[in-house]
Amino acid sequence: MADIFERLVKNYGPLGQHRERACGYFAFPKLEGEIGPHMKFRGKDMIVWSLNNYLGLANHPDIRKVDAEAAAQYGLAAPMGARMMSGNSIYHEQLEKELAEFVGKEDACLLNYGYQGMVSIIDALCSRHDVIVYDAESHACIIDGLRLHPGHRFVYKHNDLEDFEKQMQRASALIEKQNAGGILVITEGVFGMAGDQGKLKEIIALKDKYEFRILVDDAHGFGTLGETGAGAGEAQGVQDEIDLYFSTFAKSMASIGAFVAGDQQIIDYIRYNIRSQIFAKSLPMPYAIGNLKRLEMLRNLPEMRKKLWDNALKLQNGLKERGFDTGNTDTMVTPVYMKGGVEEATAMVMDLRENYNVFCSIVVYPVIPKGHIIYRLIPTAAHTDEDIEITLNAFSKTKQKLDEGAYKGEAIPDMAEAR
Ligand SMILES: Cc1ncc(COP(=O)(O)O)c(C=O)c1O
């Protein structure tokens, strides 16, 4: 018989295999100081482009004050127990009511985390005869939710409407054959890696042709897109037609928690059947109170959203003018596509951090195909013109070095912290 632990330490997995050189630098880095575009990394000042603090709320004095007062008054214990049993409060209910109003739905249900919540929503909604049709580039929380689904699922090529229709035809035929079940379509409002919006408008238009319900994960669109910040559905003019709208508080709200909103009867069904909430302690009171404050600011300070967009466009236009490829983004998420090996990518990231004081994250093989590098820059409302200028210059200089082969090395630089 094999020993499970023995197997694990023989192969730490695609990313874990680099841990001896990478830990504390390329993986698990520790950014220090107040959350924002200027933080310290290993004692050096950095311009930080890897936080989803879109609206710059993380460190807003009004929010810090409310968080601190709520923590002083309630601590992390209250309310104790799951919502359904003993862990409910007026603040949790108020937050649900205000969230539902904000995204134009009848009701909302709080979730402790986005990832866990999405997995559990999918589990709660679908029975074995139901068929799920989903976008190929869906976030891990959707993919992992699908693993709990006992019925069939069909994946369509990312944002490809022709393939979407093909999969809908397969799903519809299967349901007809089974003579049971329905179709749930799942997509994202904004795809967090590439920054392109999900084709909500076009998919929803197909409701005339196919029968389905649609669940949208709008983690990145909530608070950043649309006239009022209600998200990708609002931006595309189809918010009312989204059957279930989901977002986390971990991005524009700079907090923890999540919610799903929709028709009152369906949200009530979820409330009484979602295992991640029924069998878990509810969100601590300071989170409920802190999130109420964040939602109030998100509603009342549209200038934060405007500043985010100004910064995003300045960064993206600057990159394009310098010849960088930012792909299909039509949101603030700013990918920069380059070519090079993992070793070159890590050497370049190191150069950016050590010599240009620019901290951003990269995606390399095996997450994406060999020979490709994606930088993922997250502009926020808190970045300055100077931050953008310094970063653009740093990108131009390091890209030139990349093209000249200056980062070609034998191995990933050893930057691990001593343990
Ligand atoms: C699209 C999407 N859905 C869900 C999540 C998970 O949210 P949370 O951090 O609240 O678990 C994320 C965050 O990484 C995300 O980007």
Side-chain angles (χ1 to χ4, degrees), residues 303-320:
E303 56 270 29
M304 295 186 310
R305 202 162 44 256
K306 184 176 175 314
K307 181 79 170 107
L308 161 68
W309 276 96
D310 286 350
N311 282 346
L313 292 176
K314 267 182 213 155
L315 178 70
Q316 290 177 6
N317 291 339
L319 284 164
K320 281 183 211 149

Side-chain angles (χ1 to χ4, degrees), residues 339-358:
K339 293 236 158 57
V342 178
E343 298 77 12
E344 284 178 287
T346 47
M348 186 172 171
V349 161
M350 211 177 108
D351 194 17
L352 272 172
R353 290 183 188 174
E354 299 303 317
N355 301 315
Y356 299 92
N357 298 61
V358 171

